[in-house]
Amino acid sequence: MSAHLPAQDEPTPRSPFADSAAASASGGHSATPSLENATDRLDEPATPYGNPFSPPGTPGLRDSYVGGATPGASRPLLPEDPNRGSEALLGAGAGAVAFDEKAGTGVGGPARRRRLGLWLGVGAAAIVVVVLAVVLPVYFTVIKKHNSSSSGSKSGSGSGGSSGGSGTNPESPTGAITGGDGSTITMDGGTSFTYANQFGGFWVDDPTDPYNNSARAQSFTPALNEPWDYSTDQIRGVNLGGWLVLEPFIAPALFEKYQNVTPSPALPGGNVVDEWSLSVAMLNDTSEGGGIQQIEDHYATFITEQDFAQIAGAGLNWVRLPMPYWAIETWPGEPFLENAAWKYVLLAFKWARKYGLRIYLELHTVPGSQNGYNHSGRLGPVNFLNGFMGIANAQRTMDYVRYIAEFISQKEYQDVVPMFGVVNEPLLGIIGRDQLTRFYLQAHDMIRGITGIGNGAYIVIHDGFQGTGSWKDFLPGSDRIILDTHPYVAFGGDFNHPLDYWPQVGCVAYTNNQSQTDFGITLSGEFSGAINNCGKWVQNIGTDSTLADCDTWNDWQNWTQDMKTGIKNFVMSQMDGMHLPGYFYWTWKVGNSSVTGKVEAPFWSYKLGLDNGWIPTDPREALGLCQSLGFPQNVPWDGTYQSWQTGGAGAGTIAATAVASFSQYPPPEISNVSGEDAAQLPMFTATSAVPTLPTPTFSAATVTGGDGWADSKDTSLAAVQIAGCVYPNAWGPQPGSTAAVCGGATAVAPAAATPAPAVTTPA
């Protein structure tokens, strides 16, 4: 059953970027291109800032752009900023087709990410068919071969490694165990496998110095102890989605076991649709094989050391690691498995270090939910910076951001974790730009207070489903902030195009070059090979695609070679279009269904595609594809960032106008609080001891690591409830509740508040 958010008030639009947020003039719409026309083609915009995201004339099933300029609970996505048009290459006067982001759950049904409404220009069928027929063979026999053998060869010193067994590594003269392609690796527990890496990469396992950073994923990728240049080094990454933050379509077997369970006060209707309800069902399951320990069993088996080795062997050099806040702690009434995930975060750091992979760590869930989607932990309303508990939940979130920042800012982890995403996919359309900008400024100042200017991980923020254009000139003078955008085609509602249509979407629509100039470093933290919304539970548990071809697309074992080639071309077109600074595919692995015994969402698994021929065995094959197909990037990027954007001169000196506009915190206004003064909303007090994150132990180490806390001067306490105050439900007070002041800082529970869900624990 598809769940929808309760109705919530829409925030008053308050854009701090008046110029970039200005609405574009609307243009006329021509008819949608014929679905029989194999030459549907994207045209360049008439002007550099033409808005390609005007509403289609006929709304589709998931069209979020029809109607007003502010979101509703069922339409959370605002129209794209006009500046994004220069990246999407769609001119006025063309027919419309929508492109959307990967389905999640919550607000308005299944949409997970950003929708892109793209204008189509209808080309001459004969010309494009001839071009594709001629260019593709030439590309794969000549151009691709050249790129694979020569692109980005950046070996530096010590780029080699033993090709079999353990041996001497010039980057590790201390006698560390190391090896390259063909070497044997024995994992904890005694299981062995053969390391396959045809790209000159080598692993390093140094028992005496477990913080040895000399491993190299590939010869063309800098070793961990070498600098990363975001203007020239290409991020070729993959997400580890569904590992530590569960999603039904990625780990279906866990959820299939608990469909239609016996209803209880903690699980009304008996519907398991997210990790919250799954945790409740597991806690109530006292049978053999039941219990919430099943989640840690999943942690231990879904992703292992061998996956990290295979990622490096696939020519990938970064991993994006979604982390839940309950890896740190939970509060009473929250059923999630507490603390267990942190052990596996540490293992991810260890394995990434061993194989020369860098990690983009990101906080994927926050208390109260930042977007209402199932991957935020709980399907339902947004209670982060929104609603009665919005400020209090943001206080808890900032604490968790602080604890993680303290840990990864230790010198032992800075080379392994060069990026930290503070909140994954906050739903700006509900939260409000002003409120989210204030939070981001606070997070920036807090993190840089820990690291110092020019030091520590880059801070990553998400575009809030508003496109990259609206973030132009964000906090000028800040220290190393990266913008993350998640482009997906899969939920636009217009999928009836031939396979050779889709590469132009990746080449033309998904480049981040304009934002590289307007904002600074801009990467694609998620994308996929999905050309439709097929796949079990991709949209949500209980919501299936109505596309007639889903049986064919879900039956990946019987895909024809043409189908595989079509999906591969689409994936590579995105890789090429987003190649600098880079991308992260969503996701590395999708688990088998317990019902069918196979993957039921094949588009989303990089590993499945790698093993079966629709993912390139060398991601460098993608370089030059767009040019060869006649879809060059129309917005060139000059390859340089402003000094302050990379921690150089001017970094840390935020423009006075931005400070004046956004330094007041908590935000002076919060939506969905029935007109309450934000200063009188529930808040916590910082009077509790800080839960320092545990560090790993290494029995043979002759060096010592940190204690989990980089900045000894950071002695602030943790936020907790004020004694004697009764708080509203942090995960969703009833709309229309009222709040009263308690102790001048927090609110007593409203008269009609929804009680926190009970969790029945096994005896």
Side-chain angles (χ1 to χ4, degrees):
M1 179 180 294
S2 178
H4 299 267
L5 297 190
Q8 295 181 334
D9 295 335
E10 300 153 359
T12 302
R14 297 169 57 90
S15 173
F17 314 106
D19 294 339
S20 61
S24 65
S26 60
H29 304 312
S30 62
T32 301
S34 168
L35 300 183
E36 286 73 34
N37 185 358
T39 63
D40 291 350
R41 184 181 178 95
L42 307 180
D43 290 335
E44 297 184 7
T47 61
Y49 291 94
N51 187 353
F53 302 103
S54 300
T58 303
L61 178 65
R62 290 287 302 136
D63 188 356
S64 295
Y65 294 101
V66 178
T70 55
S74 63
R75 294 197 308 104
L77 309 183
L78 292 176
E80 288 282 349
D81 186 277
N83 286 346
R84 181 66 174 175
S86 59
E87 299 174 53
L89 310 187
L90 295 169
V97 60
F99 297 88
D100 202 351
E101 302 223 353
K102 183 177 70 189
T105 52
V107 183
R112 171 175 174 131
R113 326 281 179 184
R114 180 185 78 220
R115 169 169 298 137
L116 302 179
L118 302 182
W119 293 104
L120 300 176
V122 181
I127 294 175
V128 172
V129 168
V130 170
V131 168
L132 293 176
V134 173
V135 170
L136 281 174
V138 172
Y139 173 78
F140 281 103
T141 58
V142 181
I143 300 175
K144 182 190 77 173
K145 180 178 180 181
H146 173 75
N147 282 337
S148 298
S149 62
S150 63
S151 101
S153 180
K154 182 179 180 178
S155 59
S157 62
S159 62
S162 61
S163 60
S166 60
T168 302
N169 186 321
E171 287 293 324
S172 182
T174 60
I177 301 172
T178 183
D181 184 42
S183 57
T184 299
I185 295 171
T186 302
M187 298 187 292
D188 293 341
T191 303
S192 297
F193 65 90
T194 300
Y195 184 54
N197 187 319
Q198 300 181 27
F199 303 110
F202 57 81
W203 53 270
V204 174
D205 186 10
D206 192 340
T208 61
D209 181 6
Y211 304 107
N212 185 320
N213 291 333
S214 61
R216 186 189 297 272
Q218 302 89 26
S219 64
F220 48 82
T221 294
L224 291 179
N225 56 10
E226 296 176 336
W228 186 274
D229 187 337
Y230 290 88
S231 64
T232 58
D233 294 322
Q234 296 176 25
I235 296 171
R236 301 179 178 99
V238 68
N239 282 270
L240 296 181
W243 182 25
L244 305 181
V245 178
L246 304 182
E247 297 193 40
F249 85 96
I250 302 176
L254 290 173
F255 291 84
E256 287 167 340
K257 182 177 179 180
Y258 293 102
Q259 293 304 297
N260 302 313
V261 298
T262 302
S264 67
L267 199 63
N271 295 318
V272 171
V273 296
D274 50 29
E275 190 161 351
W276 178 293
S277 53
L278 178 67
S279 299
V280 171
M282 287 180 170
L283 287 167
N284 291 340
D285 181 2
T286 59
S287 66
E288 184 177 356
I292 201 168
Q293 183 63 31
Q294 294 173 88
I295 291 180
E296 184 161 5
D297 294 341
H298 167 81
Y299 293 164
T301 57
F302 187 67
I303 296 293
T304 68
E305 177 182 342
Q306 189 168 3
D307 288 288
F308 281 75
Q310 291 171 341
I311 289 169
L316 303 171
N317 51 25
W318 280 72
V319 166
R320 184 170 179 261
L321 180 61
M323 171 186 166
Y325 79 83
W326 49 88
I328 303 171
E329 66 176 10
T330 59
W331 281 19
E334 296 173 342
F336 304 114
L337 179 61
E338 183 180 30
N339 299 135
W342 181 249
K343 169 185 175 182
Y344 298 90
V345 172
L346 292 179
L347 284 174
F349 294 169
K350 175 183 176 181
W351 296 333
R353 192 190 310 272
K354 181 173 181 177
Y355 295 102
L357 299 168
R358 289 167 169 83
I359 288 181
Y360 163 11
L361 180 67
E362 52 96 14
L363 188 59
H364 212 73
T365 72
V366 305
S369 178
Q370 73 277 23
N371 53 37
Y373 299 145
N374 64 5
H375 54 81
S376 72
R378 190 177 191 186
L379 181 72
V382 176
N383 293 288
F384 166 78
L385 290 176
N386 180 69
F388 287 107
M389 287 295 288
I391 292 176
N393 283 329
Q395 285 180 282
R396 279 184 69 190
T397 300
M398 192 70 77
D399 272 356
Y400 300 143
V401 169
R402 174 182 165 220
Y403 306 155
I404 297 169
E406 285 283 7
F407 192 95
I408 65 173
S409 297
Q410 299 173 102
K411 62 182 178 59
E412 293 84 1
Y413 296 94
Q414 290 185 20
D415 289 343
V416 179
V417 190
M419 287 188 206
F420 174 35
V422 294
V423 179
N424 177 65
E425 296 183 343
L427 195 57
L428 186 149
I430 295 295
I431 295 169
R433 184 178 297 275
D434 179 87
Q435 291 83 349
L436 190 57
T437 300
R438 293 174 188 275
F439 180 86
Y440 282 157
L441 176 58
Q442 291 292 311
H444 168 274
D445 290 351
M446 180 265 293
I447 293 172
R448 293 305 172 225
I450 293 168
T451 67
I453 301 302
N455 298 313
Y458 278 69
I459 299 168
V460 187
I461 65 171
H462 182 255
D463 66 10
F465 306 103
Q466 302 301 297
T468 58
S470 65
W471 296 91
K472 180 180 180 181
D473 298 327
F474 178 76
L475 297 183
S478 56
D479 179 25
R480 293 170 300 125
I481 297 180
I482 293 176
L483 183 62
D484 185 355
T485 187
H486 298 171
Y488 288 104
V489 161
F491 295 90
D494 185 359
F495 309 128
N496 294 314
H497 297 278
L499 283 171
D500 58 10
Y501 162 79
W502 295 108
Q504 64 187 303
V505 176
C507 292
V508 174
Y510 292 164
T511 173
N512 292 316
N513 280 358
Q514 186 63 52
S515 186
Q516 292 270 84
T517 299
D518 293 344
F519 176 93
I521 302 175
T522 304
L523 56 78
S524 297
E526 297 182 17
F527 79 104
S528 82
I531 59 170
N532 55 48
N533 58 6
C534 297
K536 182 174 184 177
W537 295 342
V538 166
Q539 297 185 82
N540 190 12
I541 289 179
T543 302
D544 298 321
S545 174
T546 59
L547 193 66
D549 293 338
C550 279
D551 287 344
T552 298
W553 284 114
N554 292 339
D555 185 20
W556 54 270
Q557 295 104 321
N558 292 307
W559 284 7
T560 66
Q561 187 57 50
D562 285 347
M563 294 168 70
K564 293 181 180 181
T565 300
I567 299 304
K568 182 177 180 180
N569 287 342
F570 176 46
V571 170
M572 293 203 308
S573 72
Q574 296 176 85
M575 289 176 166
D576 192 20
M578 310 184 291
H579 71 275
L580 280 175
Y583 52 79
F584 294 83
Y585 192 96
W586 187 276
T587 183
W588 170 245
K589 179 186 289 185
V590 171
N592 289 340
S593 163
S594 62
V595 177
T596 65
K598 67 183 184 71
V599 172
E600 292 294 339
F603 285 134
W604 302 92
S605 175
Y606 195 99
K607 187 177 187 302
L608 186 71
L610 190 66
D611 293 341
N612 290 276
W614 63 86
I615 294 290
T617 55
D618 182 349
R620 294 175 300 166
E621 294 177 15
L623 296 176
L625 176 63
C626 294
Q627 183 72 36
S628 70
L629 294 179
F631 306 128
Q633 295 182 356
N634 76 315
V635 182
W637 174 56
D638 65 8
T640 61
Y641 300 111
Q642 297 185 56
S643 177
W644 58 267
Q645 294 170 337
T646 56
T653 307
I654 298 177
T657 53
V659 173
S661 297
F662 304 114
S663 60
Q664 181 180 345
Y665 194 85
E669 295 182 16
I670 293 289
S671 298
N672 293 294
V673 294
S674 302
E676 284 283 345
D677 181 356
Q680 302 302 318
L681 293 176
M683 296 183 194
F684 300 133
T685 180
T687 57
S688 177
V690 169
T692 306
L693 294 170
T695 59
T697 57
F698 302 99
S699 58
T702 58
V703 299
T704 57
D707 61 1
W709 201 258
D711 182 13
S712 60
K713 296 179 181 179
D714 179 5
T715 58
S716 299
L717 297 176
V720 291
Q721 294 183 353
I722 296 175
C725 291
V726 181
Y727 287 79
N729 178 7
W731 291 84
Q734 290 181 352
S737 298
T738 58
V741 175
C742 173
T746 190
V748 178
T754 304
V759 177
T760 304
T761 56

